[in-house]
Amino acid sequence: MRDPAAFGPTTTTDEVLDDIDLTGRVALVTGGSSGLGRETARALAARGAEVILTARDVPKGEAVAADIRAATGAAVSVQDLELGSLASIRRFAERLLAAHPRIDLLVANAGVMACPYARTSDGFEMQFGSNHLGHFLAVCSLAPALLRSGAARVVSLSSRGHHIAPVDFDDLGFERRPYDKWQAYGQAKTANVLFAVGLERRLGARGVHALAVHPGAIVTELGRHLQAEDMEYLRSRARGMQFKTVEQGAATSCFAATAPELAGRGGLYLEDCHVAAIDDAPEAPEGVKSYALDPANAERLWEVSERLVGERFAFA
Ligand SMILES: NC(=O)c1ccc[n+]([C@@H]2O[C@H](COP(=O)([O-])OP(=O)(O)OC[C@H]3O[C@@H](n4cnc5c(N)ncnc54)[C@H](OP(=O)(O)O)[C@@H]3O)[C@@H](O)[C@H]2O)c1
């Protein structure tokens, strides 16, 4: 029996979704080829949702989709999406809108962490460019399908890594300072929260609610770029944090996407299946930084993101 008051760090996807019927709902999960996205897609499919997962490596995504179909019997399909290319995102959005005029749940999950300096095909620093700008363009382009739902949710995968850095509006791309892979990750993950705040302001009253989540610390392919010294750095920041299983890690995404308790709410940051409180103490082990929920920062990020992707979104 589902008991939201008892939810916490060890709660799993299946526990969060117990008693939730997603039959007839259409869910899109970006980065469904691995880790938390794969488990989120599986768990939503297991409750009856039709699931579309995106993959930049389509055969990898198709193998995951086949496993989920076999395990759940749900309709699961794959869409090609490279978030480091505005052209790929626009092609994806066009295909998706043609095939799926309505989307009810969108989990903007794909991400890269602490990679060596690289640029997207449009010249943006990779972590800001793919984790934030890519999802900004993808989600905004899919707004017509979200608005058709009448009760849609957008879940933006942020991280406690947002504690590392706010968005540096004067140097988004590390052109005036040396590249620091952790500052870049922190900036991108702060942007993921600010995007939820900005989207909520624009679409909340029209039934599309946006939430950001920190999933916890989970061993996935996200660590592909980590060196030995990075593990030391992460341990120093972890402050007693326990690792979660993938099922526990994806639970907060599934909670944000479906919990009846969150109906009509948005512009929030969740961790451990609860709405997190603001905590600006420098060593705070939990909570959300006020700079990540700040409406003025959210507006500034929205404007610069529109300029960078070269498109304004009126959401008519
Ligand atoms: N794991 C954690 O401890 C943790 C903690 C805090 C936040 N998060 C966040 O949770 C999300 C999921 O992470 P995860 O742990 O599940 O990592 P993961 O196993 O590496 O999965 C990331 C997914 O994103 C996809 N992806 C990466 N870059 C992409 C791009 N440029 N275009 C399209 N797809 C791209 C990957 O595709 P490929 O399969 O092709 O690589 C993969 O499907 C991320 O946003 C991450 O920042 C994770």
Side-chain angles (χ1 to χ4, degrees), residues 165-294:
V167 172
D168 185 340
F169 288 102
D170 295 324
D171 192 14
L172 289 171
F174 291 82
E175 274 129 19
R176 297 188 200 150
R177 55 187 162 146
Y179 177 67
D180 179 312
K181 59 192 176 183
W182 289 111
Q183 291 284 318
Y185 186 65
Q187 165 170 270
K189 291 289 134 180
T190 294
N192 291 147
V193 189
L194 290 171
F195 174 55
V197 174
L199 193 66
E200 178 68 24
R201 187 175 89 71
R202 283 161 178 80
L203 296 184
R206 297 170 69 188
V208 179
H209 291 287
L211 303 130
V213 304
H214 165 58
I218 307 100
V219 177
T220 63
E221 293 179 31
L222 194 67
R224 71 190 80 189
H225 297 295
L226 297 185
Q227 316 287 322
E229 69 265 22
D230 295 320
M231 297 312 295
E232 268 315 302
Y233 172 75
L234 288 177
R235 263 191 288 274
S236 74
R237 295 194 61 90
R239 300 178 198 113
M241 194 162 57
Q242 299 294 314
F243 276 94
K244 295 185 179 187
T245 64
V246 171
E247 292 79 7
Q248 293 165 346
T252 304
S253 300
C254 290
F255 181 77
T258 64
E261 300 76 25
L262 295 171
R265 302 181 69 193
L268 304 166
Y269 172 96
L270 284 76
E271 57 191 348
D272 296 339
C273 303
H274 284 98
V275 176
I278 290 176
D279 191 339
D280 282 330
E283 300 297 314
E286 294 180 344
V288 57
K289 297 300 176 196
S290 54
Y291 58 66
L293 290 177
D294 181 81

Side-chain angles (χ1 to χ4, degrees), residues 34-171:
S34 168
L36 303 178
R38 176 191 181 124
E39 171 57 15
T40 302
R42 182 210 63 78
L44 297 175
R47 304 308 307 169
E50 174 181 353
V51 175
I52 307 137
L53 56 88
T54 79
R56 56 183 171 174
D57 176 342
V58 174
K60 186 177 174 188
E62 289 289 3
V64 169
D67 284 351
I68 299 176
R69 277 194 296 270
T72 66
V76 185
S77 56
V78 179
Q79 285 284 344
D80 184 2
L81 173 63
E82 168 52 75
L83 286 160
S85 157
L86 299 181
S88 167
I89 297 163
R90 291 193 165 103
R91 283 194 300 273
F92 154 79
E94 203 173 310
R95 280 193 315 272
L96 204 76
L97 287 170
H100 297 275
R102 195 192 84 238
I103 299 168
D104 302 294
L105 314 173
L106 196 169
V107 185
N109 162 87
V112 61
M113 179 176 77
C115 53
Y117 183 76
R119 291 177 190 239
T120 67
S121 19
D122 303 281
F124 307 123
E125 182 280 313
M126 183 60 74
Q127 299 193 68
F128 184 77
S130 54
N131 293 353
H132 166 63
L133 280 179
H135 277 125
F136 174 83
L137 179 61
V139 174
C140 290
S141 303
L142 295 176
L146 293 164
L147 285 163
R148 258 178 228 117
S149 164
R153 296 216 194 148
V154 176
V155 179
S156 197
L157 267 280
S158 175
S159 167
R160 190 165 297 163
H162 87 273
H163 291 199
I164 300 170
V167 172
D168 185 340
F169 288 102
D170 295 324
D171 192 14

